[in-house]
Amino acid sequence: MFSPEASIHASIAARNPRRRQRTGSDASVAQRNPKKLKRSGLTQETFIAPPQWKKENGYANYGNSHPLANGHATTGKDHRDVTAGATNLSIRKKGPKVDRAARGNKADGSIVLTKNHNYVVTQLPTTPDHLCDYKYAAPWRGEISHDRGYAIAITHTQAIVWRYAQSTSPSDSSKPLAIELPHPSNNSRHPLPLCTLTTVTTEPGFLVVMPTSGKITYWQSISSAANEDPIRQKQQGTHGTIVGMMSGEVVTQVTNAGLAGFILTFSTGRVAHLTVKDSRDRPLINVQYLRSNGTSTGGLFGGLKNVFGGAGWRRDVAAVRAAGSRQKTQRDIVIATTKGVFQIWDLNFDRTDSLSYEIDAKEDLLQSLTEGSDVFNDQNDHHFELLDFTLIPTGKEVAKVGHAGGYKLLVLTALSGKSSSRYALTGLTITNSSLKVDVVHPISCYTTPRPAESAWRPQIQLPEPAQTAFIVFEKSVVLLSLSKVEDSPDSQLRTEAHTLPEPFQDTIDFRKDRTVRVVGCSAETSERDRVHSACVLMVHGFGVVRVAALPEKDNISASERARVTAKTKIEQAVFYGSMQQNLLDFSGRPEIKFLPEEVESAALELSDEIMKSTSAYIPVITPSMDHQLNIRSTALADLARHLKQHCTPLSHLARWKLLWNAEKMAAARSVWNSYNSAVGKNEGQTTLLAELLDMLHEDLKVENRPEHGETDVVRQWFTHDIWRIEWVIPWAQKAIEELYSEGIQDAPMQTRLISEANDVQISALDTAFRFREENAALYGLDHRQMTNGVLRSGFDDLPEFWTSTAGIPDRVKLLVDLSREMAIRHENTTGEAGEPDPQVILKMAADNPRQIQLCCQTYMERFQWLEAQSNPQKKAEGEFLEAAYLQIRRDLFVKLIGLNQADDGIMLAEKYHDMGALVELLVLNTTETSERLKEDGLSEEEEFELVERMKLNQERTTSYFSRFGDDWANALFTQHIVGGQLAGLLDHGVEFQSFLTRFLRSNPSYAKIGWINEIAAESNYRAAAQDLNIAQKAETDMWSKKIELSICKLAMLAAAEVGQAKDEDIDKGMVRKLDRRMSMMAVQEQLYTYLEPTLRTALDEEAGADLAAEQCCRSFVKSKPTLRKAVESSLLMIVRRQVLDPEQLIDTLTLMDDVVTYSDSEGFTDKKFFLALKVLKYTGFEKSEPDRYDLNERLIWRRCMIQDDWEAINRTELKPDTEVEVDTGATALFKTLREGFKTDFWDTCPIPGPSSLLGAGTTIPSLRPRYAHLPEALLGPFAQDLETEDVALEHQLEKGRLEMWWEGVVAAAKRSVRTEADESGENRRRRRIVEAGVAQSLGERDWEAAEQVGGMMSPPPSPPMEDGDGDVVMG
């Protein structure tokens, strides 16, 4: 069919025709001339085939009764049935047999590259080193003889043969054999030679075919082929040539057909039958092209006529497989083309070959692929190709159908698009008369197209027991489960509901950064104690790799095995991805995707398993605990790297949880190292950590099980409980308390245990904080948001940090204090009996600064987290803790002086910008140094050291101004103020003047000093005035306030004089305000003058206030307790010469009774209500707070109107007008009105009617404008007292007809002022006339005298200016 030549015999090269033919057995040679027989490196025992044994759980039947499960088979006219599918890699029945492939790095030197529940990948150790180097660029191809355990690496000139499997025979040599190939090609671009081993004899033979030249060489044993003597090697081989090869035609494949010979596949699509022996078992090379003899017309396998007819044969043969046999020297051969055509050939050793039948399966394959798949609906966009097939074995035979020569096949097909390919495994049953698609397994985990330049064709390997298929691509291997689902009610229901899970499939990828690729593969023959499927690969640049499917485990369900989980993928990447020189790529494939939630859950679960040592990949017991912790720490780091590089970003909380676990692991490892060191030093004595872990509650640790040999509580904790390390940190201090309470009074033991407690806390916390800051970026967190490992912001969704749980900050602080106190107490220890070890004391003192820093970090983290919470209670707790922390931090820094570690305290204060502590440390250190310098008997060295320290402190003080700026300056200047060193404050030097000015301006309480600095140093009069204005507002002393107001006004005037005024109107307004404040103080001064005669007999201020109260509170406020108390309080302030606020002054003026002991020479009582109205006017409430102004105004007028008995005044019967006028003129209302009319005060302050004053301040809401800061409980008594005033006013209105009298009194007061003004004006006019005449007469004389002496006279002085209220204006 393939060639017009029926048979072409090749001669045996270099053969003497007269020489008697030898047999190929070693025994016959040995019998004839044993001494001349060259010793073979490989003995017969080496090649004894392993014993045959019965296998169970074979490949699922593809027949009608037991179809393959979980694929999708087509349904139609050609008996295509929907079949049940496989769910997992069911390798064998459960039993006690040992699974050698599932072990880790085994004693034979194999290295596990990856492992999960379904498969394990190992590198076999026997490959020659240079073939394992991925940098080895020389091309070579690989062949594997799985039945003998041999591997062959073939270059252009040499073949290297070695046993890839570990031999059990002691006589077997693992040394590779190098076979020099005859007739090598001189062109490196020619295809590599084809080599294979034969199994005709006990020692395998060796066949070499040169693809381009067609030269063939066959040795009956590899020892002959490996002969180092080229002449003997050539003599011992059988040589021949393929005749009839076309130009450019090459041999592409050699298929071993057992005793029937070999099948050669050519690049043109032709196929030939090769035999290496004749019928008498003598070596003889014979090649015969297969032809159909007319049984098949057209197609790939036509004759030579079709080849030259351009039917498109080139590279059309996909695969050739040897099938079953009906007799010893006969073999069926199945040939498949890339177009989907199958031919079954009957191959015989005597070369009577014939084509049994041919079937075109393309349409059936396409239909089965496209049914139920949207991807393949448009076949025009995809190219169909049959890539490979294999026969399905049943035990030691292939699955043969009936007596018609049919077979069950597993076919690999591809539909290739522009950017991806869709692969599938299809189960076919072919016979002479029909074809049936049994099952279809789409490959969803691999869609990478075949590279156009790749010489490797994907292959299917189906090792016994044929429950797992291995699809070998050039840089990947796909595993697909073919095992049958066990019949059960559940599987039947799920099958009917179409919810049966898809069969397991997964992809194993090679690394993309290495030039590695598959150059050979083979299904591996099952070993005696391994009944699972295994495939062996030869990888260029790496060596021999075994991929083995693993048996089921009782604790893993079928559905779990069938599903590729995110956790499985992550585990493989974590525990095997970091291996140096690992072949595999664990970055993941785009076809296998997981939900972000699944990835996050898997990552957290794996992290927790590593922390608890429950992962199957973590050894629980190791000789070195540090090594076990290192394994776990490395795994956590690899987990973080894998997630960052290959997975979608996790949630913020999940990333923090992963980081926290890694921190705990690093911290635990540090704690272990300190414990391990302590154990070595303690000489059998107990350690604090052992005592601590023994004290922990059983809920906080995994208890030892002595019955299982678990006796070490410390190692048990480090193995299983470091995820709860946050409990150990506070218990390091708590355990000391417990041991004290148990009676440990021995000072050496106390100090040793305290030192070990320090080690626990320092090791855990210091390592954790450093690890967090150094590795935050690895976990996708911003380390720039951290300071010393403490997060500054971003606490919103985070639980409390394990490094600062509720008990940690306080317990760390207590241990800091205890360590410092013990170090100070025993600082002079000599180490004698009963005394602590001096080295321990020195260590405790040296550790104290580190402990303090950790204490600060835990406090900061704690209160910052609390303040970030939404719970108000937690926020308040955080604010309280922050305030406490600031004081604790300062105290801890300063107390380092007691340990002679002032420099460490200064460094910590600098680091934390604690300027208060820094100033205090420098002051104390300078003071202490200064005191020591005054001591007698100092040596020159000591004196020099002290002087240098003084210089250093001075340099520090100066440098801090530029380093810390205003923060340092403010703290330093505050210390001067607190220490009363005001002179030193104002004399700090010109270079620091700007700092001092900013400091004094920053706080209003410094205004009394600031105005001096503004005038003396800055010459800023306006700023000085502002400081004085601020100072006077807080001033309570009358005299001081007068001075401050006066200087303030003077400074404002000076500022205007030198041009420092910013806004003339504003500055003038400020001056007017100062005038009004001074006027208010003048009113208070008048009140004091009025009361002063009463105070002369008082022994002290309190007695004077009592005397004044007796006079002023005897009537009007006698029945008003709240108002009386207010008046008494104001009187005490007046006596003490303290400043009253405006409303206090108003109340005092309007509520006090007249003093009757002494005469009122100034007429103060006549105008006290008018003065109260003027004070109200001075406040400015009229514009700023009109409601407050209105309330106070109504109160003043109401008290004025009820001051007199209007009911008595209203009784005018039998009274002349003069008497009535005298009565009304003596009232407070008349006197007040008269004072206002004198200065036209009522022009800007209207006089209210009596009725409008009712209700003023009688309710709590109406009092709010004046007493906004008082609670309602205190406003009630005020309202009650004011209600009595309202009742009195109502009585006067009703009984005294005050409303009617009011108008008359207003008019009478106005007339009185007018009459008085007229009389006064007339008197002044007359006086001015007289004075003018006298002045003129005197003036003429004075001017004449001045002219005579040439002098000048000053003009007469101007009269004083008055404002609208009649007040003198200053300036």
Side-chain angles (χ1 to χ4, degrees), residues 131-166:
L131 297 179
C132 297
D133 187 358
Y134 72 93
K135 297 179 181 178
Y136 180 70
W140 58 276
R141 80 161 76 225
E143 292 290 336
I144 293 176
S145 176
H146 61 84
D147 53 347
R148 296 300 180 92
Y150 280 98
I152 310 173
I154 308 144
T155 67
H156 281 288
T157 60
Q158 191 180 54
I160 301 174
V161 183
W162 73 95
R163 287 190 66 93
Y164 71 84
Q166 187 73 17

Side-chain angles (χ1 to χ4, degrees), residues 922-937:
L922 278 176
V923 170
L924 291 175
N925 189 250
T926 302
T927 303
E928 180 183 350
T929 305
S930 178
E931 293 296 330
R932 288 198 61 193
L933 279 170
K934 296 177 182 178
E935 295 177 0
D936 297 330

Side-chain angles (χ1 to χ4, degrees), residues 801-878:
F801 282 55
W802 72 272
T803 45
S804 58
T805 54
I808 288 180
D810 291 338
R811 290 292 177 180
V812 173
K813 193 261 181 185
L814 290 173
L815 189 57
V816 171
D817 291 337
L818 180 60
S819 301
R820 182 185 63 253
E821 292 168 3
M822 293 295 288
I824 294 174
R825 183 186 307 171
H826 300 287
E827 63 178 335
N828 297 320
T829 182
T830 60
E832 297 179 357
E835 292 187 357
D837 185 350
Q839 296 301 320
V840 174
I841 300 302
L842 291 174
K843 177 181 176 298
M844 290 170 61
D847 286 342
N848 208 251
R850 291 179 66 197
Q851 289 179 277
I852 291 174
Q853 180 171 344
L854 294 173
C855 182
C856 292
Q857 290 172 256
T858 57
Y859 268 111
M860 289 176 63
E861 186 173 78
R862 181 68 184 173
F863 76 70
Q864 288 178 164
W865 177 81
L866 287 169
E867 290 175 348
Q869 304 308 301
S870 58
N871 188 331
Q873 184 176 356
K874 288 188 176 181
K875 282 182 178 290
E877 182 183 348

Side-chain angles (χ1 to χ4, degrees), residues 692-703 731:
L692 182 159
L693 295 176
D694 188 57
M695 293 177 188
L696 276 181
H697 192 271
E698 59 185 10
D699 292 339
L700 302 178
K701 62 184 178 182
V702 175
E703 291 283 355
W731 265 92

Side-chain angles (χ1 to χ4, degrees), residues 539-586:
V539 182
H540 187 285
F542 191 77
V544 180
V545 175
R546 175 185 286 125
V547 182
L550 296 179
E552 296 181 1
K553 293 184 179 180
D554 295 337
N555 60 343
I556 302 176
S557 66
S559 60
E560 288 177 345
R561 284 177 58 89
R563 182 171 177 264
V564 177
T565 63
K567 184 185 175 187
T568 300
K569 287 295 183 183
I570 294 174
E571 280 179 329
Q572 293 180 77
V574 168
F575 294 105
Y576 299 103
S578 61
M579 291 174 56
Q580 293 184 354
Q581 308 300 326
N582 197 330
L583 167 70
L584 307 183
D585 179 11
F586 298 98

Side-chain angles (χ1 to χ4, degrees), residues 22-25 198 201 203-206 218-222 224 236-238 277 281 283:
R22 295 180 180 180
T23 63
S25 66
T198 65
T201 61
E203 181 180 354
F206 189 70
Y218 171 69
W219 290 273
Q220 296 189 77
S221 64
I222 57 175
S224 300
Q236 293 175 357
T238 303
K277 290 187 179 182
D281 202 29

